PDB file of all heavy atoms in Angstrom:
ATOM      1  N   ARG P 807     170.352 191.211 159.568  1.00  0.00           N
ATOM      2  CA  ARG P 807     171.621 190.505 159.480  1.00  0.00           C
ATOM      3  C   ARG P 807     172.402 190.647 160.787  1.00  0.00           C
ATOM      4  O   ARG P 807     172.511 191.742 161.345  1.00  0.00           O
ATOM      5  CB  ARG P 807     172.415 191.099 158.327  1.00  0.00           C
ATOM      6  CG  ARG P 807     173.578 190.292 157.809  1.00  0.00           C
ATOM      7  CD  ARG P 807     174.226 191.041 156.655  1.00  0.00           C
ATOM      8  NE  ARG P 807     175.257 190.274 155.996  1.00  0.00           N
ATOM      9  CZ  ARG P 807     176.154 190.812 155.173  1.00  0.00           C
ATOM     10  NH1 ARG P 807     176.123 192.122 154.947  1.00  0.00           N
ATOM     11  NH2 ARG P 807     177.061 190.055 154.589  1.00  0.00           N
ATOM     12  N   VAL P 808     172.936 189.557 161.279  1.00  0.00           N
ATOM     13  CA  VAL P 808     173.641 189.551 162.563  1.00  0.00           C
ATOM     14  C   VAL P 808     175.150 189.525 162.318  1.00  0.00           C
ATOM     15  O   VAL P 808     175.648 188.711 161.536  1.00  0.00           O
ATOM     16  CB  VAL P 808     173.221 188.334 163.413  1.00  0.00           C
ATOM     17  CG1 VAL P 808     174.015 188.292 164.722  1.00  0.00           C
ATOM     18  CG2 VAL P 808     171.726 188.370 163.690  1.00  0.00           C
ATOM     19  N   ARG P 809     175.870 190.406 163.003  1.00  0.00           N
ATOM     20  CA  ARG P 809     177.327 190.484 162.861  1.00  0.00           C
ATOM     21  C   ARG P 809     178.073 190.028 164.105  1.00  0.00           C
ATOM     22  O   ARG P 809     179.275 189.790 164.051  1.00  0.00           O
ATOM     23  CB  ARG P 809     177.759 191.909 162.525  1.00  0.00           C
ATOM     24  CG  ARG P 809     177.469 192.940 163.608  1.00  0.00           C
ATOM     25  CD  ARG P 809     177.978 194.316 163.203  1.00  0.00           C
ATOM     26  NE  ARG P 809     177.624 195.354 164.154  1.00  0.00           N
ATOM     27  CZ  ARG P 809     178.324 195.649 165.243  1.00  0.00           C
ATOM     28  NH1 ARG P 809     179.416 194.966 165.532  1.00  0.00           N
ATOM     29  NH2 ARG P 809     177.929 196.624 166.040  1.00  0.00           N
ATOM     30  N   GLU P 810     177.361 189.908 165.241  1.00  0.00           N
ATOM     31  CA  GLU P 810     178.036 189.556 166.489  1.00  0.00           C
ATOM     32  C   GLU P 810     177.093 188.791 167.400  1.00  0.00           C
ATOM     33  O   GLU P 810     175.924 189.150 167.540  1.00  0.00           O
ATOM     34  CB  GLU P 810     178.505 190.838 167.189  1.00  0.00           C
ATOM     35  CG  GLU P 810     179.217 190.606 168.514  1.00  0.00           C
ATOM     36  CD  GLU P 810     179.576 191.910 169.194  1.00  0.00           C
ATOM     37  OE1 GLU P 810     180.364 192.686 168.601  1.00  0.00           O
ATOM     38  OE2 GLU P 810     179.056 192.169 170.298  1.00  0.00           O
ATOM     39  N   ILE P 811     177.591 187.724 168.018  1.00  0.00           N
ATOM     40  CA  ILE P 811     176.828 186.947 169.000  1.00  0.00           C
ATOM     41  C   ILE P 811     177.729 186.713 170.210  1.00  0.00           C
ATOM     42  O   ILE P 811     178.850 186.206 170.083  1.00  0.00           O
ATOM     43  CB  ILE P 811     176.359 185.595 168.428  1.00  0.00           C
ATOM     44  CG1 ILE P 811     175.427 185.806 167.225  1.00  0.00           C
ATOM     45  CG2 ILE P 811     175.640 184.778 169.501  1.00  0.00           C
ATOM     46  CD1 ILE P 811     175.015 184.521 166.529  1.00  0.00           C
ATOM     47  N   ASP P 812     177.228 187.096 171.368  1.00  0.00           N
ATOM     48  CA  ASP P 812     177.993 186.949 172.618  1.00  0.00           C
ATOM     49  C   ASP P 812     179.383 187.579 172.508  1.00  0.00           C
ATOM     50  O   ASP P 812     180.388 187.051 173.011  1.00  0.00           O
ATOM     51  CB  ASP P 812     178.125 185.469 173.007  1.00  0.00           C
ATOM     52  CG  ASP P 812     176.787 184.858 173.414  1.00  0.00           C
ATOM     53  OD1 ASP P 812     175.894 185.620 173.843  1.00  0.00           O
ATOM     54  OD2 ASP P 812     176.635 183.634 173.296  1.00  0.00           O
ATOM     55  N   GLY P 813     179.448 188.698 171.819  1.00  0.00           N
ATOM     56  CA  GLY P 813     180.703 189.428 171.698  1.00  0.00           C
ATOM     57  C   GLY P 813     181.663 188.895 170.651  1.00  0.00           C
ATOM     58  O   GLY P 813     182.756 189.445 170.476  1.00  0.00           O
ATOM     59  N   LYS P 814     181.260 187.855 169.900  1.00  0.00           N
ATOM     60  CA  LYS P 814     182.126 187.262 168.885  1.00  0.00           C
ATOM     61  C   LYS P 814     181.581 187.559 167.499  1.00  0.00           C
ATOM     62  O   LYS P 814     180.374 187.444 167.261  1.00  0.00           O
ATOM     63  CB  LYS P 814     182.222 185.748 169.089  1.00  0.00           C
ATOM     64  CG  LYS P 814     182.783 185.345 170.443  1.00  0.00           C
ATOM     65  CD  LYS P 814     182.754 183.840 170.614  1.00  0.00           C
ATOM     66  CE  LYS P 814     183.262 183.437 171.996  1.00  0.00           C
ATOM     67  NZ  LYS P 814     183.190 181.961 172.205  1.00  0.00           N
ATOM     68  N   PRO P 815     182.438 187.919 166.536  1.00  0.00           N
ATOM     69  CA  PRO P 815     181.963 188.182 165.175  1.00  0.00           C
ATOM     70  C   PRO P 815     181.433 186.907 164.524  1.00  0.00           C
ATOM     71  O   PRO P 815     182.006 185.825 164.705  1.00  0.00           O
ATOM     72  CB  PRO P 815     183.211 188.699 164.452  1.00  0.00           C
ATOM     73  CG  PRO P 815     184.364 188.192 165.253  1.00  0.00           C
ATOM     74  CD  PRO P 815     183.893 188.126 166.673  1.00  0.00           C
ATOM     75  N   VAL P 816     180.334 187.035 163.803  1.00  0.00           N
ATOM     76  CA  VAL P 816     179.739 185.879 163.114  1.00  0.00           C
ATOM     77  C   VAL P 816     179.304 186.311 161.713  1.00  0.00           C
ATOM     78  O   VAL P 816     179.116 187.494 161.428  1.00  0.00           O
ATOM     79  CB  VAL P 816     178.517 185.317 163.870  1.00  0.00           C
ATOM     80  CG1 VAL P 816     178.908 184.779 165.234  1.00  0.00           C
ATOM     81  CG2 VAL P 816     177.423 186.359 163.995  1.00  0.00           C
ATOM     82  N   GLY P 817     179.093 185.304 160.863  1.00  0.00           N
ATOM     83  CA  GLY P 817     178.510 185.535 159.550  1.00  0.00           C
ATOM     84  C   GLY P 817     179.233 186.567 158.712  1.00  0.00           C
ATOM     85  O   GLY P 817     180.467 186.637 158.697  1.00  0.00           O
ATOM     86  N   MET P 818     178.425 187.334 157.948  1.00  0.00           N
ATOM     87  CA  MET P 818     178.920 188.414 157.091  1.00  0.00           C
ATOM     88  C   MET P 818     179.831 187.878 155.986  1.00  0.00           C
ATOM     89  O   MET P 818     180.747 188.564 155.533  1.00  0.00           O
ATOM     90  CB  MET P 818     179.650 189.481 157.915  1.00  0.00           C
ATOM     91  CG  MET P 818     178.900 189.974 159.140  1.00  0.00           C
ATOM     92  SD  MET P 818     177.365 190.862 158.766  1.00  0.00           S
ATOM     93  CE  MET P 818     177.999 192.428 158.205  1.00  0.00           C
ATOM     94  N   ARG P 819     179.577 186.636 155.517  1.00  0.00           N
ATOM     95  CA  ARG P 819     180.450 186.030 154.513  1.00  0.00           C
ATOM     96  C   ARG P 819     179.714 185.615 153.237  1.00  0.00           C
ATOM     97  O   ARG P 819     180.330 185.059 152.330  1.00  0.00           O
ATOM     98  CB  ARG P 819     181.168 184.802 155.106  1.00  0.00           C
ATOM     99  CG  ARG P 819     182.144 185.130 156.221  1.00  0.00           C
ATOM    100  CD  ARG P 819     183.062 183.951 156.521  1.00  0.00           C
ATOM    101  NE  ARG P 819     182.325 182.786 156.998  1.00  0.00           N
ATOM    102  CZ  ARG P 819     182.062 182.544 158.290  1.00  0.00           C
ATOM    103  NH1 ARG P 819     182.464 183.401 159.214  1.00  0.00           N
ATOM    104  NH2 ARG P 819     181.395 181.462 158.645  1.00  0.00           N
ATOM    105  N   ASP P 820     178.399 185.868 153.175  1.00  0.00           N
ATOM    106  CA  ASP P 820     177.662 185.507 151.959  1.00  0.00           C
ATOM    107  C   ASP P 820     176.579 186.551 151.717  1.00  0.00           C
ATOM    108  O   ASP P 820     175.392 186.257 151.700  1.00  0.00           O
ATOM    109  CB  ASP P 820     177.038 184.112 152.103  1.00  0.00           C
ATOM    110  CG  ASP P 820     176.452 183.598 150.787  1.00  0.00           C
ATOM    111  OD1 ASP P 820     176.500 184.341 149.783  1.00  0.00           O
ATOM    112  OD2 ASP P 820     175.910 182.481 150.773  1.00  0.00           O
ATOM    113  N   GLU P 821     177.031 187.782 151.497  1.00  0.00           N
ATOM    114  CA  GLU P 821     176.086 188.881 151.297  1.00  0.00           C
ATOM    115  C   GLU P 821     175.225 188.677 150.058  1.00  0.00           C
ATOM    116  O   GLU P 821     174.061 189.075 150.021  1.00  0.00           O
ATOM    117  CB  GLU P 821     176.821 190.213 151.206  1.00  0.00           C
ATOM    118  CG  GLU P 821     175.884 191.405 151.106  1.00  0.00           C
ATOM    119  CD  GLU P 821     176.605 192.725 151.182  1.00  0.00           C
ATOM    120  OE1 GLU P 821     177.853 192.728 151.208  1.00  0.00           O
ATOM    121  OE2 GLU P 821     175.920 193.766 151.216  1.00  0.00           O
ATOM    122  N   ALA P 822     175.766 188.025 149.035  1.00  0.00           N
ATOM    123  CA  ALA P 822     175.018 187.841 147.786  1.00  0.00           C
ATOM    124  C   ALA P 822     173.744 187.035 148.017  1.00  0.00           C
ATOM    125  O   ALA P 822     172.668 187.406 147.546  1.00  0.00           O
ATOM    126  CB  ALA P 822     175.902 187.157 146.744  1.00  0.00           C
ATOM    127  N   THR P 823     173.865 185.924 148.745  1.00  0.00           N
ATOM    128  CA  THR P 823     172.683 185.093 149.012  1.00  0.00           C
ATOM    129  C   THR P 823     171.728 185.802 149.958  1.00  0.00           C
ATOM    130  O   THR P 823     170.505 185.807 149.746  1.00  0.00           O
ATOM    131  CB  THR P 823     173.093 183.731 149.592  1.00  0.00           C
ATOM    132  OG1 THR P 823     174.004 183.088 148.713  1.00  0.00           O
ATOM    133  CG2 THR P 823     171.876 182.833 149.775  1.00  0.00           C
ATOM    134  N   PHE P 824     172.275 186.409 151.010  1.00  0.00           N
ATOM    135  CA  PHE P 824     171.420 187.139 151.944  1.00  0.00           C
ATOM    136  C   PHE P 824     170.681 188.268 151.237  1.00  0.00           C
ATOM    137  O   PHE P 824     169.488 188.501 151.481  1.00  0.00           O
ATOM    138  CB  PHE P 824     172.235 187.697 153.107  1.00  0.00           C
ATOM    139  CG  PHE P 824     171.428 188.571 154.022  1.00  0.00           C
ATOM    140  CD1 PHE P 824     170.501 188.014 154.896  1.00  0.00           C
ATOM    141  CD2 PHE P 824     171.567 189.951 153.987  1.00  0.00           C
ATOM    142  CE1 PHE P 824     169.728 188.828 155.718  1.00  0.00           C
ATOM    143  CE2 PHE P 824     170.805 190.763 154.814  1.00  0.00           C
ATOM    144  CZ  PHE P 824     169.889 190.204 155.682  1.00  0.00           C
ATOM    145  N   ALA P 825     171.359 188.974 150.334  1.00  0.00           N
ATOM    146  CA  ALA P 825     170.738 190.090 149.623  1.00  0.00           C
ATOM    147  C   ALA P 825     169.564 189.625 148.762  1.00  0.00           C
ATOM    148  O   ALA P 825     168.578 190.359 148.602  1.00  0.00           O
ATOM    149  CB  ALA P 825     171.774 190.803 148.763  1.00  0.00           C
ATOM    150  N   LYS P 826     169.644 188.423 148.207  1.00  0.00           N
ATOM    151  CA  LYS P 826     168.523 187.895 147.431  1.00  0.00           C
ATOM    152  C   LYS P 826     167.279 187.773 148.304  1.00  0.00           C
ATOM    153  O   LYS P 826     166.157 188.076 147.863  1.00  0.00           O
ATOM    154  CB  LYS P 826     168.879 186.530 146.848  1.00  0.00           C
ATOM    155  CG  LYS P 826     169.894 186.553 145.723  1.00  0.00           C
ATOM    156  CD  LYS P 826     170.155 185.143 145.207  1.00  0.00           C
ATOM    157  CE  LYS P 826     171.171 185.131 144.090  1.00  0.00           C
ATOM    158  NZ  LYS P 826     171.434 183.750 143.592  1.00  0.00           N
ATOM    159  N   ILE P 827     167.467 187.323 149.552  1.00  0.00           N
ATOM    160  CA  ILE P 827     166.342 187.175 150.476  1.00  0.00           C
ATOM    161  C   ILE P 827     165.844 188.542 150.936  1.00  0.00           C
ATOM    162  O   ILE P 827     164.645 188.839 150.882  1.00  0.00           O
ATOM    163  CB  ILE P 827     166.754 186.321 151.688  1.00  0.00           C
ATOM    164  CG1 ILE P 827     167.149 184.914 151.232  1.00  0.00           C
ATOM    165  CG2 ILE P 827     165.620 186.257 152.717  1.00  0.00           C
ATOM    166  CD1 ILE P 827     167.769 184.065 152.320  1.00  0.00           C
ATOM    167  N   ARG P 828     166.774 189.394 151.374  1.00  0.00           N
ATOM    168  CA  ARG P 828     166.404 190.733 151.857  1.00  0.00           C
ATOM    169  C   ARG P 828     165.696 191.544 150.774  1.00  0.00           C
ATOM    170  O   ARG P 828     164.618 192.110 151.009  1.00  0.00           O
ATOM    171  CB  ARG P 828     167.664 191.465 152.303  1.00  0.00           C
ATOM    172  CG  ARG P 828     167.436 192.898 152.781  1.00  0.00           C
ATOM    173  CD  ARG P 828     168.742 193.656 152.818  1.00  0.00           C
ATOM    174  NE  ARG P 828     169.331 193.757 151.480  1.00  0.00           N
ATOM    175  CZ  ARG P 828     170.632 193.894 151.237  1.00  0.00           C
ATOM    176  NH1 ARG P 828     171.493 193.927 152.230  1.00  0.00           N
ATOM    177  NH2 ARG P 828     171.062 193.988 149.987  1.00  0.00           N
ATOM    178  N   ASP P 829     166.273 191.604 149.586  1.00  0.00           N
ATOM    179  CA  ASP P 829     165.708 192.414 148.518  1.00  0.00           C
ATOM    180  C   ASP P 829     164.404 191.825 148.005  1.00  0.00           C
ATOM    181  O   ASP P 829     163.479 192.563 147.621  1.00  0.00           O
ATOM    182  CB  ASP P 829     166.713 192.565 147.374  1.00  0.00           C
ATOM    183  CG  ASP P 829     167.972 193.306 147.814  1.00  0.00           C
ATOM    184  OD1 ASP P 829     167.945 193.934 148.892  1.00  0.00           O
ATOM    185  OD2 ASP P 829     168.981 193.242 147.084  1.00  0.00           O
ATOM    186  N   GLY P 830     164.316 190.486 148.004  1.00  0.00           N
ATOM    187  CA  GLY P 830     163.064 189.849 147.612  1.00  0.00           C
ATOM    188  C   GLY P 830     161.936 190.200 148.558  1.00  0.00           C
ATOM    189  O   GLY P 830     160.787 190.415 148.141  1.00  0.00           O
ATOM    190  N   TYR P 831     162.246 190.273 149.848  1.00  0.00           N
ATOM    191  CA  TYR P 831     161.239 190.635 150.852  1.00  0.00           C
ATOM    192  C   TYR P 831     160.804 192.090 150.665  1.00  0.00           C
ATOM    193  O   TYR P 831     159.616 192.424 150.765  1.00  0.00           O
ATOM    194  CB  TYR P 831     161.791 190.437 152.261  1.00  0.00           C
ATOM    195  CG  TYR P 831     160.729 190.099 153.285  1.00  0.00           C
ATOM    196  CD1 TYR P 831     160.925 189.075 154.207  1.00  0.00           C
ATOM    197  CD2 TYR P 831     159.534 190.794 153.340  1.00  0.00           C
ATOM    198  CE1 TYR P 831     159.968 188.749 155.143  1.00  0.00           C
ATOM    199  CE2 TYR P 831     158.564 190.486 154.280  1.00  0.00           C
ATOM    200  CZ  TYR P 831     158.789 189.463 155.175  1.00  0.00           C
ATOM    201  OH  TYR P 831     157.829 189.148 156.101  1.00  0.00           O
ATOM    202  N   GLN P 832     161.757 192.979 150.384  1.00  0.00           N
ATOM    203  CA  GLN P 832     161.419 194.383 150.163  1.00  0.00           C
ATOM    204  C   GLN P 832     160.513 194.556 148.945  1.00  0.00           C
ATOM    205  O   GLN P 832     159.570 195.360 148.964  1.00  0.00           O
ATOM    206  CB  GLN P 832     162.694 195.207 150.003  1.00  0.00           C
ATOM    207  CG  GLN P 832     163.552 195.285 151.256  1.00  0.00           C
ATOM    208  CD  GLN P 832     162.791 195.817 152.451  1.00  0.00           C
ATOM    209  OE1 GLN P 832     162.266 196.928 152.430  1.00  0.00           O
ATOM    210  NE2 GLN P 832     162.714 195.020 153.504  1.00  0.00           N
ATOM    211  N   ARG P 833     160.771 193.798 147.900  1.00  0.00           N
ATOM    212  CA  ARG P 833     159.900 193.855 146.717  1.00  0.00           C
ATOM    213  C   ARG P 833     158.498 193.375 147.057  1.00  0.00           C
ATOM    214  O   ARG P 833     157.500 193.952 146.592  1.00  0.00           O
ATOM    215  CB  ARG P 833     160.493 193.012 145.585  1.00  0.00           C
ATOM    216  CG  ARG P 833     161.692 193.645 144.899  1.00  0.00           C
ATOM    217  CD  ARG P 833     162.013 192.920 143.604  1.00  0.00           C
ATOM    218  NE  ARG P 833     162.387 191.523 143.828  1.00  0.00           N
ATOM    219  CZ  ARG P 833     163.626 191.121 144.055  1.00  0.00           C
ATOM    220  NH1 ARG P 833     164.626 191.998 144.100  1.00  0.00           N
ATOM    221  NH2 ARG P 833     163.887 189.836 144.230  1.00  0.00           N
TER     222      ARG P 833
END
């Protein structure tokens, strides 16, 4: 998960959807 690009904060606003992908990959 990326929180910063070129020194500017990005993303970090839909952890629920990202977690489905991350946790699915771990399984």
Side-chain angles (χ1 to χ4, degrees):
R807 196 179 187 196
V808 177
R809 64 178 175 85
E810 180 184 298
I811 298 175
D812 292 335
K814 300 176 182 178
V816 296
M818 311 295 285
R819 294 194 297 270
D820 189 358
E821 184 173 6
T823 304
F824 174 74
K826 289 181 180 180
I827 298 171
R828 178 196 62 206
D829 297 345
Y831 209 135
Q832 294 304 301
R833 286 193 297 271

